[in-house]
Amino acid sequence: MDIFADFGERVRASIKALGWRAADGADLDLGRIVVEPPRDAAHGDLAVNAAMVLAKPMGRKPRDLAIELMGALAADPDIAETEVAGPGFLNLRLTPAAWGRFLARVLISGPAYGRGVVARGRVNVEYVSANPTGPMHVGHCRGAVVGDALANLLGFAGHEVTKEYYINDAGAQVDVLARSAFLRYREALGETIEIPEGLYPGDYLKPVGSRLAEIHGRGLIDLSEADWLPIVKPFTIDAMMAMIREDLAALNVVHDVFFSEKSLQAGPTGDRVAQAIAKLTADGLMYQGRLEPPKGQLPEDWEDREQTLFRSTAFGDDVDRPLMKSDGSYTYFASDIAYHLDKFERGFGEQIDIWGADHGGYVKRMQSAVKAISGGSARLEVLLCQLVKLFRAGEPVKMSKRSGDFVTLRDVVDEVGVDAVRFMMLFRKSDAPLDFDFQKVTEQSKDNPVFYVQYAHARTASVFAQAREALPGFDLGESGLAGAELDRLTDVGEIGLLKRIAQWPRVVEAAAEAREPHRIAFFLHDLASDLHGHWNRGKDLPQLRFVNVDDPLSSHARLAMVRAVAQVLASGLAILGVKAPDEMR
RNA sequence: GGCCCCGUAGCUCAGGGGAUAGAGCGACAGCCUUCUAAGCUGUUGGUCGCAGGUUCGAAUCCUGCCGGGGUCGCCA
């Protein structure tokens, strides 16, 4: 179904039939031969680089080889024209009949068109993993969307994907959360409270305090912290996670697994963190030692001390890393190692984590750890998402996290809608910073790529509504459309759309391979642009309109093409988690 | 100072071995008795940060600089 891969095979077969060999008589490496869409449409439908790649090993001139290959391919009935161009490109143009058969196959495949055909194995994508200390803020938004879209993309490309969320419910910050909730509890009981520096001031803890008061009455008020903490903490964490799940649902993000950090230390199989460290110790990767102080600015409270270190430098890290704090408790890194070991033991040799760019310094050590705990058989990839800068009509939006006065993810989704948020977060490479303007993303104009792409899909639906009225006799189902006289599609705009559609499988594959879901968004924008452009040509040239009562057979073929466009738009938008609407009123 | 990311049109950014480097915005000029003008067409605009290297071919890969951002033992 991928015509580029298809013709790649035909080219390789022709080369074998020609009996080409390397200058020394050895077999040629045909792996570097690619068949791809030429940048310039004037160069035809497919460009073959075989002659240039093989010229050196064969000791011959690229243009001579291209001419020879051109002769061998001339017998292919699907090829209408061939030409040798530039430094030795062989350009191919397909016949309308070949394009028609391609389109028919796309329609028969339906929503499966572009889906990976080979199984690519299991992969675990961990994203969001926001601390359960409050509602999600905009900072979490990009990672959530990128992770979710990447997981969708990998699934579409043929991986078996698990979407996972790591709940940091074991550190000191959840104790702080519990204390903050306890204050709200006292407040709910009528006390006047003052929230000291360092506790979470947000109003979102008020309902938690009220519910604690409802459940426990004054029962907790005279307990010592050691006694109320085990009650208040899990209750509050559960409330925060419920809130976060609602936020995620509003963003159209759903995880398969929520994994608790706390469960690592107090799970049914004992202390998993200790077990992970024991494993590293058994492998000779732990030792007591001292670290050099960091170069550059020395931390004020630096103190040379012997500590429990993991030999991460043996796996590519810059320095060895401590796994125990001075008070004997585990560092966050220690828990994280145990967590990634758990993922490995659950069968995930492929792990992808989505982090904020401020965690960039953490990448190497975590990758080192994954290598260490898996004996080198597991791989961790980390995608770093750069910051999102918020604007309102060109003016930066000020935020103060300390006062609790930050923009929540919910604020953004409620204001601009989930589709606009998701699409805009994906309309940029994730390692480039992103400007997000509330004004612009809600504009309903071509300046707004979300609406531009969605409108293209709506337009296809509109064309079909028109067709059902104007051409009542036609079968507009997939098989009916596939049976139309598709070789009537010969206009440059029509072939252009088919060529764009033909790229879909390779775009999916390349985007999945590169872990770059933004490529899907850009592809959809291009496809939408092709459709809008061709649609508009029907104004000057009525004979090109999709629905034309004077030429029902061509109309039928064009509707088949429009259906294929709609299919690809819908598939792509589904990967991005954006709706493909039938109307935009 | 070490490590990571970025540097492409006036602006925001795609392109990450292939031919004459693209899109949107901006600016300018057009297109509505016509399938949704929520749209389309054209014009304008570039020493791809700099210098070497690899290659038949480099914006793309490698090295070194320059500039911007992030980060740097017991925060998660």
Short mmCIF file of all heavy atoms in Angstrom, two decimals, chain B residues 5 13-15 21 23 38-39 42 47-49 55 60 71-73 75:
data_model
loop_
_atom_site.label_atom_id
_atom_site.label_comp_id
_atom_site.label_asym_id
_atom_site.label_seq_id
_atom_site.Cartn_x
_atom_site.Cartn_y
_atom_site.Cartn_z
P C B 5 21.63 17.23 22.61
OP1 C B 5 21.12 16.12 21.77
OP2 C B 5 22.95 17.80 22.37
"O5'" C B 5 20.57 18.42 22.58
"C5'" C B 5 19.18 18.15 22.74
"C4'" C B 5 18.40 19.45 22.76
"O4'" C B 5 18.83 20.25 23.89
"C3'" C B 5 18.62 20.38 21.57
"O3'" C B 5 17.88 20.00 20.43
"C2'" C B 5 18.16 21.71 22.15
"O2'" C B 5 16.75 21.78 22.23
"C1'" C B 5 18.72 21.62 23.57
N1 C B 5 20.07 22.24 23.65
C2 C B 5 20.15 23.63 23.73
O2 C B 5 19.10 24.29 23.73
N3 C B 5 21.36 24.22 23.81
C4 C B 5 22.47 23.48 23.81
N4 C B 5 23.65 24.11 23.89
C5 C B 5 22.42 22.05 23.71
C6 C B 5 21.20 21.48 23.63
P C B 13 9.55 30.27 17.63
OP1 C B 13 9.35 29.71 18.96
OP2 C B 13 10.87 30.76 17.21
"O5'" C B 13 9.00 29.22 16.57
"C5'" C B 13 9.84 28.30 15.91
"C4'" C B 13 9.03 27.69 14.82
"O4'" C B 13 8.85 28.63 13.74
"C3'" C B 13 9.65 26.48 14.14
"O3'" C B 13 9.40 25.32 14.91
"C2'" C B 13 8.95 26.45 12.80
"O2'" C B 13 7.67 25.87 12.90
"C1'" C B 13 8.77 27.95 12.50
N1 C B 13 9.79 28.50 11.60
C2 C B 13 9.70 28.19 10.23
O2 C B 13 8.77 27.47 9.85
N3 C B 13 10.62 28.68 9.38
C4 C B 13 11.60 29.46 9.85
N4 C B 13 12.49 29.92 8.98
C5 C B 13 11.73 29.78 11.22
C6 C B 13 10.81 29.29 12.05
P A B 14 10.19 23.97 14.61
OP1 A B 14 9.87 23.06 15.71
OP2 A B 14 11.59 24.27 14.27
"O5'" A B 14 9.43 23.46 13.31
"C5'" A B 14 10.15 22.84 12.30
"C4'" A B 14 9.22 22.44 11.20
"O4'" A B 14 8.95 23.60 10.37
"C3'" A B 14 9.83 21.41 10.25
"O3'" A B 14 9.63 20.10 10.72
"C2'" A B 14 9.10 21.70 8.95
"O2'" A B 14 7.79 21.15 8.97
"C1'" A B 14 8.99 23.22 9.00
N9 A B 14 10.15 23.89 8.37
C8 A B 14 11.03 24.75 8.97
N7 A B 14 11.95 25.21 8.16
C5 A B 14 11.65 24.61 6.94
C6 A B 14 12.24 24.69 5.67
N6 A B 14 13.29 25.44 5.41
N1 A B 14 11.69 23.96 4.68
C2 A B 14 10.63 23.21 4.95
N3 A B 14 9.97 23.05 6.10
C4 A B 14 10.54 23.79 7.07
P G B 15 10.88 19.17 11.01
OP1 G B 15 10.33 17.87 11.43
OP2 G B 15 11.84 19.89 11.87
"O5'" G B 15 11.51 19.03 9.57
"C5'" G B 15 10.77 18.41 8.52
"C4'" G B 15 11.41 18.74 7.20
"O4'" G B 15 11.51 20.16 7.04
"C3'" G B 15 12.82 18.22 7.04
"O3'" G B 15 12.78 16.90 6.52
"C2'" G B 15 13.44 19.19 6.04
"O2'" G B 15 13.15 18.82 4.72
"C1'" G B 15 12.70 20.49 6.35
N9 G B 15 13.45 21.43 7.18
C8 G B 15 13.33 21.62 8.52
N7 G B 15 14.14 22.54 8.99
C5 G B 15 14.84 22.97 7.88
C6 G B 15 15.86 23.97 7.75
O6 G B 15 16.35 24.66 8.63
N1 G B 15 16.30 24.09 6.44
C2 G B 15 15.83 23.36 5.39
N2 G B 15 16.38 23.62 4.20
N3 G B 15 14.88 22.44 5.48
C4 G B 15 14.43 22.30 6.75
P A B 21 17.43 26.80 -3.72
OP1 A B 21 17.55 28.26 -3.58
OP2 A B 21 18.58 25.94 -3.37
"O5'" A B 21 16.16 26.33 -2.88
"C5'" A B 21 15.82 24.95 -2.76
"C4'" A B 21 15.29 24.68 -1.38
"O4'" A B 21 16.36 24.88 -0.43
"C3'" A B 21 14.20 25.64 -0.91
"O3'" A B 21 12.93 25.16 -1.29
"C2'" A B 21 14.36 25.63 0.60
"O2'" A B 21 13.70 24.52 1.18
"C1'" A B 21 15.86 25.41 0.77
N9 A B 21 16.60 26.64 1.05
C8 A B 21 17.34 27.40 0.22
N7 A B 21 17.92 28.44 0.78
C5 A B 21 17.50 28.36 2.09
C6 A B 21 17.76 29.16 3.20
N6 A B 21 18.53 30.24 3.19
N1 A B 21 17.19 28.79 4.38
C2 A B 21 16.41 27.70 4.40
N3 A B 21 16.10 26.87 3.42
C4 A B 21 16.70 27.25 2.28
P A B 23 6.24 28.19 -0.02
OP1 A B 23 5.27 28.17 -1.13
OP2 A B 23 7.15 29.34 0.15
"O5'" A B 23 5.44 27.96 1.34
"C5'" A B 23 4.63 26.81 1.50
"C4'" A B 23 4.10 26.74 2.90
"O4'" A B 23 5.19 26.47 3.82
"C3'" A B 23 3.48 28.01 3.44
"O3'" A B 23 2.14 28.17 2.99
"C2'" A B 23 3.56 27.78 4.94
"O2'" A B 23 2.57 26.86 5.36
"C1'" A B 23 4.93 27.11 5.06
N9 A B 23 6.01 28.08 5.32
C8 A B 23 6.92 28.59 4.43
N7 A B 23 7.78 29.42 4.96
C5 A B 23 7.43 29.46 6.30
C6 A B 23 7.95 30.16 7.40
N6 A B 23 9.00 30.98 7.33
N1 A B 23 7.36 29.98 8.60
C2 A B 23 6.31 29.15 8.68
N3 A B 23 5.72 28.44 7.71
C4 A B 23 6.34 28.64 6.53
P A B 38 -16.24 32.79 5.08
OP1 A B 38 -17.21 31.75 4.81
OP2 A B 38 -16.61 34.02 5.81
"O5'" A B 38 -15.00 32.13 5.83
"C5'" A B 38 -13.93 32.92 6.29
"C4'" A B 38 -13.14 32.12 7.30
"O4'" A B 38 -14.04 31.64 8.32
"C3'" A B 38 -12.50 30.88 6.69
"O3'" A B 38 -11.29 30.58 7.39
"C2'" A B 38 -13.52 29.77 6.96
"O2'" A B 38 -12.94 28.50 7.08
"C1'" A B 38 -14.06 30.22 8.32
N9 A B 38 -15.43 29.78 8.54
C8 A B 38 -16.48 29.76 7.69
N7 A B 38 -17.59 29.30 8.21
C5 A B 38 -17.23 29.01 9.52
C6 A B 38 -17.95 28.50 10.59
N6 A B 38 -19.22 28.18 10.53
N1 A B 38 -17.30 28.31 11.75
C2 A B 38 -16.01 28.64 11.81
N3 A B 38 -15.22 29.14 10.86
C4 A B 38 -15.90 29.30 9.74
P G B 39 -9.93 30.94 6.68
OP1 G B 39 -8.87 30.21 7.38
OP2 G B 39 -9.87 32.41 6.56
"O5'" G B 39 -10.08 30.35 5.22
"C5'" G B 39 -10.11 28.93 5.01
"C4'" G B 39 -10.40 28.66 3.56
"O4'" G B 39 -11.54 29.46 3.14
"C3'" G B 39 -9.29 29.08 2.60
"O3'" G B 39 -8.28 28.10 2.49
"C2'" G B 39 -10.07 29.23 1.30
"O2'" G B 39 -10.43 27.98 0.76
"C1'" G B 39 -11.34 29.91 1.81
N9 G B 39 -11.17 31.37 1.85
C8 G B 39 -11.09 32.17 2.96
N7 G B 39 -10.92 33.43 2.67
C5 G B 39 -10.87 33.46 1.28
C6 G B 39 -10.70 34.55 0.39
O6 G B 39 -10.55 35.73 0.64
N1 G B 39 -10.71 34.13 -0.93
C2 G B 39 -10.86 32.82 -1.34
N2 G B 39 -10.85 32.61 -2.65
N3 G B 39 -11.03 31.80 -0.52
C4 G B 39 -11.02 32.19 0.77
P G B 42 0.03 30.54 -6.47
OP1 G B 42 0.75 29.55 -7.31
OP2 G B 42 0.10 30.45 -5.00
"O5'" G B 42 0.50 31.99 -6.89
"C5'" G B 42 0.53 32.38 -8.26
"C4'" G B 42 0.67 33.87 -8.38
"O4'" G B 42 -0.40 34.53 -7.64
"C3'" G B 42 1.93 34.47 -7.76
"O3'" G B 42 3.06 34.32 -8.59
"C2'" G B 42 1.51 35.94 -7.61
"O2'" G B 42 1.57 36.61 -8.86
"C1'" G B 42 0.05 35.79 -7.19
N9 G B 42 -0.10 35.87 -5.74
C8 G B 42 -0.41 34.86 -4.85
N7 G B 42 -0.47 35.27 -3.60
C5 G B 42 -0.18 36.63 -3.68
C6 G B 42 -0.09 37.62 -2.66
O6 G B 42 -0.27 37.50 -1.45
N1 G B 42 0.23 38.87 -3.17
C2 G B 42 0.45 39.14 -4.50
N2 G B 42 0.75 40.40 -4.81
N3 G B 42 0.36 38.23 -5.46
C4 G B 42 0.05 37.01 -4.98
P U B 47 21.32 36.51 3.58
OP1 U B 47 21.48 37.05 4.92
OP2 U B 47 21.20 37.40 2.40
"O5'" U B 47 22.48 35.44 3.34
"C5'" U B 47 22.51 34.62 2.20
"C4'" U B 47 23.84 33.91 2.14
"O4'" U B 47 24.90 34.87 2.25
"C3'" U B 47 24.09 32.92 3.28
"O3'" U B 47 23.52 31.67 2.93
"C2'" U B 47 25.61 32.89 3.37
"O2'" U B 47 26.18 32.01 2.43
"C1'" U B 47 25.98 34.33 3.00
N1 U B 47 26.19 35.19 4.17
C2 U B 47 27.39 35.08 4.85
O2 U B 47 28.24 34.30 4.51
N3 U B 47 27.52 35.91 5.93
C4 U B 47 26.60 36.82 6.38
O4 U B 47 26.87 37.51 7.36
C5 U B 47 25.38 36.88 5.64
C6 U B 47 25.22 36.08 4.59
P C B 48 23.54 30.39 3.74
OP1 C B 48 24.87 30.03 4.26
OP2 C B 48 22.84 29.48 2.87
"O5'" C B 48 22.58 30.70 4.98
"C5'" C B 48 22.97 30.33 6.30
"C4'" C B 48 21.81 29.68 7.01
"O4'" C B 48 20.84 29.18 6.07
"C3'" C B 48 22.23 28.50 7.87
"O3'" C B 48 21.58 28.60 9.12
"C2'" C B 48 21.73 27.28 7.10
"O2'" C B 48 21.38 26.22 7.94
"C1'" C B 48 20.50 27.86 6.39
N1 C B 48 20.15 27.12 5.16
C2 C B 48 19.13 26.17 5.22
O2 C B 48 18.56 25.95 6.30
N3 C B 48 18.79 25.50 4.10
C4 C B 48 19.42 25.76 2.97
N4 C B 48 19.04 25.08 1.89
C5 C B 48 20.46 26.72 2.87
C6 C B 48 20.80 27.38 3.99
P G B 49 22.34 28.21 10.45
OP1 G B 49 23.15 27.02 10.21
OP2 G B 49 21.25 28.22 11.44
"O5'" G B 49 23.36 29.41 10.75
"C5'" G B 49 22.93 30.76 10.69
"C4'" G B 49 24.00 31.63 11.30
"O4'" G B 49 24.01 31.41 12.73
"C3'" G B 49 25.42 31.31 10.84
"O3'" G B 49 25.75 32.00 9.66
"C2'" G B 49 26.26 31.76 12.03
"O2'" G B 49 26.43 33.17 12.03
"C1'" G B 49 25.34 31.38 13.20
N9 G B 49 25.61 30.04 13.72
C8 G B 49 24.73 28.99 13.76
N7 G B 49 25.25 27.92 14.29
C5 G B 49 26.54 28.27 14.61
C6 G B 49 27.58 27.52 15.21
O6 G B 49 27.56 26.35 15.60
N1 G B 49 28.74 28.27 15.36
C2 G B 49 28.88 29.58 14.97
N2 G B 49 30.07 30.12 15.20
N3 G B 49 27.93 30.29 14.41
C4 G B 49 26.79 29.59 14.27
P U B 55 35.47 10.97 1.94
OP1 U B 55 35.99 9.63 1.65
OP2 U B 55 36.22 12.18 1.51
"O5'" U B 55 34.00 11.08 1.35
"C5'" U B 55 33.04 10.04 1.59
"C4'" U B 55 31.71 10.42 1.01
"O4'" U B 55 31.19 11.59 1.71
"C3'" U B 55 31.72 10.86 -0.44
"O3'" U B 55 31.74 9.76 -1.33
"C2'" U B 55 30.43 11.68 -0.54
"O2'" U B 55 29.30 10.84 -0.64
"C1'" U B 55 30.41 12.37 0.83
N1 U B 55 30.97 13.73 0.78
C2 U B 55 30.09 14.76 0.53
O2 U B 55 28.89 14.59 0.38
N3 U B 55 30.65 16.01 0.47
C4 U B 55 31.98 16.32 0.62
O4 U B 55 32.33 17.50 0.53
C5 U B 55 32.84 15.20 0.87
C6 U B 55 32.31 13.97 0.94
P U B 60 24.73 21.14 7.59
OP1 U B 60 25.57 21.33 8.78
OP2 U B 60 25.35 20.76 6.30
"O5'" U B 60 23.60 20.09 7.91
"C5'" U B 60 22.83 20.19 9.12
"C4'" U B 60 21.77 19.12 9.14
"O4'" U B 60 20.98 19.24 7.92
"C3'" U B 60 22.32 17.70 9.17
"O3'" U B 60 21.56 16.91 10.06
"C2'" U B 60 22.16 17.22 7.73
"O2'" U B 60 21.93 15.84 7.63
"C1'" U B 60 20.93 18.00 7.27
N1 U B 60 20.91 18.23 5.82
C2 U B 60 19.94 17.59 5.06
O2 U B 60 19.11 16.86 5.56
N3 U B 60 20.00 17.84 3.72
C4 U B 60 20.90 18.65 3.07
O4 U B 60 20.82 18.78 1.86
C5 U B 60 21.87 19.28 3.93
C6 U B 60 21.84 19.05 5.24
P U B 71 16.89 25.47 34.97
OP1 U B 71 15.73 25.21 35.85
OP2 U B 71 17.64 26.73 35.08
"O5'" U B 71 17.91 24.26 35.12
"C5'" U B 71 17.45 22.92 35.08
"C4'" U B 71 18.63 21.98 34.99
"O4'" U B 71 19.40 22.29 33.80
"C3'" U B 71 19.64 22.10 36.12
"O3'" U B 71 19.23 21.38 37.28
"C2'" U B 71 20.89 21.51 35.48
"O2'" U B 71 20.82 20.10 35.43
"C1'" U B 71 20.77 22.03 34.04
N1 U B 71 21.53 23.30 33.85
C2 U B 71 22.89 23.17 33.61
O2 U B 71 23.45 22.10 33.58
N3 U B 71 23.54 24.35 33.41
C4 U B 71 23.01 25.63 33.43
O4 U B 71 23.74 26.60 33.23
C5 U B 71 21.60 25.66 33.68
C6 U B 71 20.93 24.53 33.88
P C B 72 19.78 21.85 38.70
OP1 C B 72 18.95 21.13 39.68
OP2 C B 72 19.91 23.32 38.74
"O5'" C B 72 21.25 21.25 38.72
"C5'" C B 72 21.46 19.85 38.69
"C4'" C B 72 22.94 19.57 38.57
"O4'" C B 72 23.46 20.20 37.37
"C3'" C B 72 23.79 20.15 39.69
"O3'" C B 72 23.82 19.24 40.78
"C2'" C B 72 25.16 20.29 39.03
"O2'" C B 72 25.88 19.07 39.06
"C1'" C B 72 24.79 20.60 37.58
N1 C B 72 24.91 22.02 37.22
C2 C B 72 26.13 22.46 36.67
O2 C B 72 27.04 21.64 36.51
N3 C B 72 26.26 23.76 36.32
C4 C B 72 25.24 24.60 36.50
N4 C B 72 25.42 25.87 36.13
C5 C B 72 24.00 24.18 37.05
C6 C B 72 23.88 22.89 37.40
P G B 73 24.47 19.58 42.14
OP1 G B 73 23.89 20.77 42.76
OP2 G B 73 25.90 19.55 41.82
"O5'" G B 73 24.12 18.31 43.04
"C5'" G B 73 24.08 17.02 42.42
"C4'" G B 73 24.27 15.97 43.47
"O4'" G B 73 25.56 16.15 44.11
"C3'" G B 73 23.28 16.06 44.64
"O3'" G B 73 22.05 15.48 44.33
"C2'" G B 73 24.04 15.29 45.71
"O2'" G B 73 23.96 13.90 45.46
"C1'" G B 73 25.47 15.76 45.46
N9 G B 73 25.78 16.93 46.30
C8 G B 73 25.41 18.23 46.12
N7 G B 73 25.85 19.03 47.06
C5 G B 73 26.55 18.19 47.92
C6 G B 73 27.24 18.48 49.12
O6 G B 73 27.38 19.56 49.68
N1 G B 73 27.80 17.33 49.67
C2 G B 73 27.70 16.08 49.13
N2 G B 73 28.29 15.13 49.80
N3 G B 73 27.05 15.80 48.01
C4 G B 73 26.52 16.89 47.47
P C B 75 17.02 16.60 49.84
OP1 C B 75 17.80 17.84 49.82
OP2 C B 75 16.52 16.09 51.10
"O5'" C B 75 15.79 16.71 48.87
"C5'" C B 75 15.98 17.35 47.67
"C4'" C B 75 14.69 17.89 47.23
"O4'" C B 75 14.98 18.84 46.20
"C3'" C B 75 13.79 16.86 46.58
"O3'" C B 75 12.98 16.22 47.56
"C2'" C B 75 12.99 17.69 45.61
"O2'" C B 75 11.93 18.34 46.28
"C1'" C B 75 14.03 18.75 45.20
N1 C B 75 14.75 18.40 43.96
C2 C B 75 14.22 18.88 42.77
O2 C B 75 13.17 19.51 42.82
N3 C B 75 14.85 18.62 41.61
C4 C B 75 15.99 17.91 41.61
N4 C B 75 16.58 17.70 40.45
C5 C B 75 16.56 17.42 42.83
C6 C B 75 15.92 17.68 43.96
#
